């Protein structure tokens, strides 16, 4: 009988010891799930897309902005452009001549009156689209309504000013012969013309006043009157209220063609150049006023076409600031803009004869050869001799500058003050008694101001758009980084072997009964 030597190694007595635990090699779970690879691929694609958007964000934004600003019959910019809803005020300041009876023995003493404020309503009419060259043609209708409540004065104010009708007649006669000039002198005396006239404010503005010289001019040949159309009354804005001819025919770019901006002047009064000037001065260029160039810098020059000035004006950078959290660059008409070629030789072709003083523009050529000169109010940035010829000029850059404050990236005007002063040129005329002893000077008549400041709702919208531009690239870069991290994690999980612990496998082995243990003790 065999001798019992003990239990086999690894076995224990009792029902609890029915399992045999032995070292088992770890086993692989299986292949990586397909969804993990699909997710990693999508994440990689999103990361690449976000990175590309971050690198090209400026171009993407510019393209989207250009499409929104382009003038089309259905665009938002067209709705805001065709009939602006921004409140417009048109202020007029007259210079009252207080010592006209002592002229020319005493230099003129001028007293500023006003402002006479008018609310302006503006809309573009006769809009015609030219899709073949990406332009739109139109005329502008302006309507003015006197705002007595916000005016400093009434339209019944009596104002003494220079007799512009007589001054224009003498100016046009400067190249006439002796007999013609003597005839004019006799006519001025016969019609009892004086150096100065006193009229009501409403007569000097929109209502106009009658004058016998106007009736005489109707019978004269156009060469004598400078081609001016015959009128029965004279007023600085006579027949301009509700007229379509105030700014004339305009044709501007729509911005739909690649590389073009909306609102850039291409034709004015059916001409593609300025017929009053020669050389560089005859070129028609710049913004027509509603749309500004984008991506402006401190080195940029803002080029504007101003119909009232009959020319293009270059505005220089002067300052930067902030309006309700929105940054702007300010561009203003400077001394160089109105220079008589002393500082800017390129301005020589604007002179058209008389160009003795800096800081003024000779616009007589586009005013039917009348002696009209434009400057900034109170001769700001003008030749000191202009202010010395009269009393009452007090130039102040804060009150008399002509500027545009523009959001530089978007090219949207935030604050605009358009100001200029009308002056009449006069000089002695030996053969015309009324003007024999007058000094050579520019006589200030009035100055106008049109201020426009964007409202709070538009400011808030522009801040939102600017935030998209400033932070859009950063957001896309962060999104690319997040997607890249997720892809990295997913890739690592996909490559790591998945093992099953030996103890866990052992727990799932089929238990052996006592009979099997006896047959297979080990």
């Amino acid at each position: 009988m065999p001798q019992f030597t003990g239990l086999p190694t690894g076995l224990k007595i009792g029902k609890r010891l029915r399992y045999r635990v032995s070292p088992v090699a770890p086993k692989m779970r299986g292949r990586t799930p397909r969804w993990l690879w699909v997710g990693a691929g999508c994440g990689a694609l999103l990361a690449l897309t976000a990175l590309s958007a971050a690198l090209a964000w400026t171009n993407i934004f510019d393209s989207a902005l250009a499409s929104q600003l382009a003038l089309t019959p259905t665009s938002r910019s067209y709705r805001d452009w065709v009939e602006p809803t921004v409140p417009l005020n048109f202020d007029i300041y007259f210079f009252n001549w207080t010592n006209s009876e002592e002229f020319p023995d005493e230099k003129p003493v001028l007293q500023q009156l006003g402002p006479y404020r008018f609310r302006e309503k503006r809309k573009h009419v006769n809009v015609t689209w030219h899709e073949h060259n990406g332009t739109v043609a139109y005329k502008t209708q302006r309507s003015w309504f006197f705002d007595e409540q916000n005016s400093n004065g009434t339209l019944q104010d009596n104002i003494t000013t220079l007799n512009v009708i007589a001054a224009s007649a003498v100016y046009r006669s400067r190249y006439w012969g002796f007999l013609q000039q003597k005839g004019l002198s006799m006519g001025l005396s016969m019609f009892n013309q004086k150096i100065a006239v006193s009229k009501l404010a409403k007569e000097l503005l929109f209502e106009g006043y009658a004058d016998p010289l106007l009736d005489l001019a109707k019978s004269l040949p156009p060469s004598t009157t400078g081609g001016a159309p015959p009128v029965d009354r004279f007023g600085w804005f006579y027949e301009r209220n509700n007229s379509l001819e105030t700014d004339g025919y305009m044709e501007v770019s729509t911005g739909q063609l690649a590389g073009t901006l909306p609102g850039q002047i291409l034709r004015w009064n059916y001409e593609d150049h300025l017929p009053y000037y020669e050389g560089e001065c005859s070129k028609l260029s710049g913004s027509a006023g509603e749309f500004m160039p984008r991506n402006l810098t401190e080195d940029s020059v803002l080029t504007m076409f101003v119909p009232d000035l009959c020319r293009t004006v270059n505005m220089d950078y002067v300052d930067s600031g902030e309006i309700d959290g929105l940054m702007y660059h300010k561009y203003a008409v400077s001394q160089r803009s109105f220079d008589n070629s002393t500082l800017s030789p390129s301005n020589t072709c604007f002179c058209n004869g008389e160009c003795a003083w800096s800081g003024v523009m000779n616009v007589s050529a586009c005013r039917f050869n009348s002696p009209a000169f434009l400057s900034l109010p109170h001769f700001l940035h003008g030749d000191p001799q202009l202010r010395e010829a009269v009393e009452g000029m007090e130039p102040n850059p804060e009150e008399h500058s002509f500027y545009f404050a523009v959001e530089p990236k978007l090219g949207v005007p935030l604050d605009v003050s358009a100001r200029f002063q009308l002056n009449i040129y006069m000089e002695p005329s030996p053969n015309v008694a009324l003007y024999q002893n007058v000094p050579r000077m520019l006589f200030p008549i009035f100055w106008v101001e049109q201020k426009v400041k964007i409202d709070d709702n538009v400011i808030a919208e522009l801040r939102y758009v600017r935030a998209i531009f400033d932070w859009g690239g950063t957001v896309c870069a962060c999104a690319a980084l997040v997607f890249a991290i997720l892809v990295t994690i997913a890739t690592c999980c996909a490559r790591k072997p998945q093992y099953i612990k030996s103890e866990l496998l052992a727990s799932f082995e089929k238990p052996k009964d006592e009979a099997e243990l006896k047959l297979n003790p080990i």
Side-chain angles (χ1 to χ4, degrees):
M1 184 174 180
Q3 186 178 359
F4 178 76
T5 59
L7 293 172
T9 304
L11 295 180
K12 295 183 180 179
I13 301 173
K15 292 184 179 181
R16 292 187 311 166
L17 303 180
R18 297 168 60 187
Y19 304 100
R20 179 171 60 87
V21 180
S22 61
V24 179
K27 296 182 180 180
M28 299 286 295
R29 179 181 295 177
R31 290 189 299 175
T32 304
R34 182 175 297 176
W35 65 264
L36 196 59
W37 288 112
V38 173
C42 292
L45 181 60
L46 291 174
L48 183 61
T49 303
L51 180 61
S52 300
L55 295 176
W57 181 251
T58 299
N59 293 332
I60 294 173
F61 182 86
D62 284 342
S63 178
L65 181 63
S67 65
Q68 291 296 314
L69 293 179
L71 281 172
T72 66
T74 58
S75 67
R76 174 183 172 179
S77 60
Y78 171 75
R79 295 194 300 271
D80 295 335
W81 168 83
V82 72
E83 192 168 356
T85 57
V86 178
L88 298 175
N89 291 324
F90 186 64
D91 293 346
I92 304 172
Y93 297 82
F94 274 106
F95 290 111
N96 185 44
W97 191 358
T98 62
N99 66 335
S100 60
E101 297 296 329
E102 285 74 33
F103 186 78
D105 296 329
E106 295 181 6
K107 66 181 181 179
V109 177
L110 305 179
Q111 176 190 14
Q112 179 175 288
L113 302 180
Y116 298 91
R117 174 163 294 179
F118 292 82
R119 290 179 290 106
E120 179 179 328
K121 184 178 181 181
R122 181 187 309 178
K123 63 179 179 179
H124 299 312
V125 299
N126 299 340
V127 177
T128 305
W129 301 94
H130 301 148
E131 296 184 1
H132 65 283
N133 61 354
T135 65
V136 58
Y138 61 92
K139 287 188 175 182
T140 303
Q141 183 181 48
R142 299 174 186 264
S143 304
W144 289 281
F145 308 90
F146 183 61
D147 186 357
E148 187 172 1
Q149 183 177 358
N150 294 303
S151 295
N152 184 19
T154 72
L155 295 181
Q156 301 299 322
D157 292 347
N158 193 64
I159 301 172
T160 300
T161 185
L162 183 70
N163 185 349
V164 178
I165 298 176
S168 299
V170 175
Y171 180 77
R172 291 188 177 114
S173 72
R174 66 195 187 283
Y175 299 125
W176 293 358
F178 173 80
L179 293 179
Q180 290 176 302
Q181 290 183 345
K182 279 299 182 180
L184 174 62
S185 180
M186 292 175 61
L188 293 175
S189 177
M190 181 176 61
F191 291 125
N192 197 29
Q193 294 291 314
K194 304 294 184 182
I195 287 285
V197 295
S198 293
K199 300 294 180 182
L200 300 181
K202 65 179 182 179
E203 294 177 317
L204 292 173
L205 292 171
F206 292 96
E207 187 174 299
Y209 61 91
D211 191 284
L213 283 182
L214 297 178
D215 297 329
L216 176 63
K218 294 178 182 179
S219 62
L220 297 177
S223 59
T224 305
T225 61
V231 293
D232 56 348
R233 302 176 71 85
F234 172 80
W236 292 112
F237 302 97
Y238 179 62
E239 293 186 336
R240 295 186 68 178
N241 206 348
N242 297 314
S243 171
L244 298 182
E245 305 305 324
T246 301
D247 290 344
Y249 171 90
M250 307 277 280
E251 188 174 330
V252 301
S253 58
T254 61
Q256 290 180 279
L257 300 183
T260 63
L261 295 172
Q264 303 302 298
I265 187 70
L266 298 174
R267 293 171 66 87
W268 181 51
N269 288 333
Y270 306 98
E271 299 280 357
D272 60 0
H273 67 286
L274 299 172
Y276 318 110
Y277 311 108
E278 297 180 354
E280 291 294 318
C281 296
S282 67
K283 290 185 177 179
L284 194 61
S285 62
S287 167
E290 289 95 351
F291 294 87
M292 301 291 113
R294 300 190 297 274
N295 301 315
L296 294 169
T297 68
E298 296 180 4
D299 297 324
S300 300
V301 175
L302 195 61
T303 303
M304 299 280 300
F305 175 74
V306 186
D308 285 326
L309 303 181
C310 306
R311 58 170 280 186
T312 294
V313 177
N314 293 321
M315 305 173 69
D316 298 322
Y317 169 84
V318 294
D319 194 13
S320 293
E322 182 179 309
I323 297 178
D324 296 333
L326 202 61
M327 294 296 298
Y328 67 80
H329 287 344
K330 181 183 287 187
Y331 299 85
V333 171
S334 64
Q335 184 177 3
R336 185 173 69 91
S337 304
F338 280 18
D339 183 55
N340 64 347
S341 77
T342 304
L343 300 177
S344 304
S346 60
N347 283 348
T348 303
C349 49
F350 282 121
C351 287
N352 265 343
E354 298 300 332
C355 202
W357 303 282
S358 63
V360 295
M361 293 181 180
N362 185 348
V363 295
S364 59
C366 71
R367 300 297 178 190
F368 305 109
N369 201 29
S370 62
F373 282 68
L374 296 179
S375 68
L376 292 179
H378 291 251
F379 294 124
L380 178 67
H381 302 319
D383 193 312
Q385 292 181 1
L386 298 170
R387 295 188 294 272
E388 293 170 0
V390 296
E391 290 186 10
M393 297 293 99
E394 299 177 355
N396 183 343
E398 294 295 325
E399 298 178 359
H400 303 141
S401 61
F402 186 128
Y403 68 83
F404 274 68
V406 185
E407 201 291 322
K409 179 59 190 177
L410 307 178
V412 177
L414 305 181
D415 183 18
V416 175
S417 287
R419 305 171 174 126
F420 59 85
Q421 176 176 301
L422 176 69
N423 312 280
I424 297 299
Y425 175 77
M426 58 193 309
E427 65 180 359
S429 179
N431 300 321
V432 181
L434 188 63
Y435 268 65
Q436 277 184 343
N437 300 316
V438 302
R440 184 170 178 264
M441 62 178 294
L442 290 182
F443 196 100
I445 304 298
F446 66 86
W447 66 276
V448 299
E449 173 185 46
Q450 188 160 45
K451 286 183 66 68
V452 180
K453 188 173 183 180
I454 204 163
D455 61 38
D456 294 338
N457 292 333
V458 179
I459 286 283
E461 186 175 354
L462 291 176
R463 281 202 304 264
Y464 176 73
V465 174
R466 185 58 199 259
I468 292 176
F469 169 72
D470 291 337
W471 295 100
T474 303
V475 170
C476 290
C478 292
L481 180 61
V482 170
F483 285 127
I485 292 174
L486 294 177
V487 168
T488 302
I489 294 174
T491 303
C492 291
C493 292
R495 292 181 178 179
K496 182 178 179 181
Q498 303 297 315
Y499 294 104
I500 302 176
K501 292 184 179 180
S502 58
E503 291 83 355
L504 187 59
L505 289 174
S507 65
F508 286 97
E509 286 187 10
K510 182 180 178 180
K512 297 180 179 181
D513 54 19
E514 293 180 1
E516 187 177 0
L517 288 175
K518 292 179 180 179
L519 295 175
N520 302 294
I522 299 178

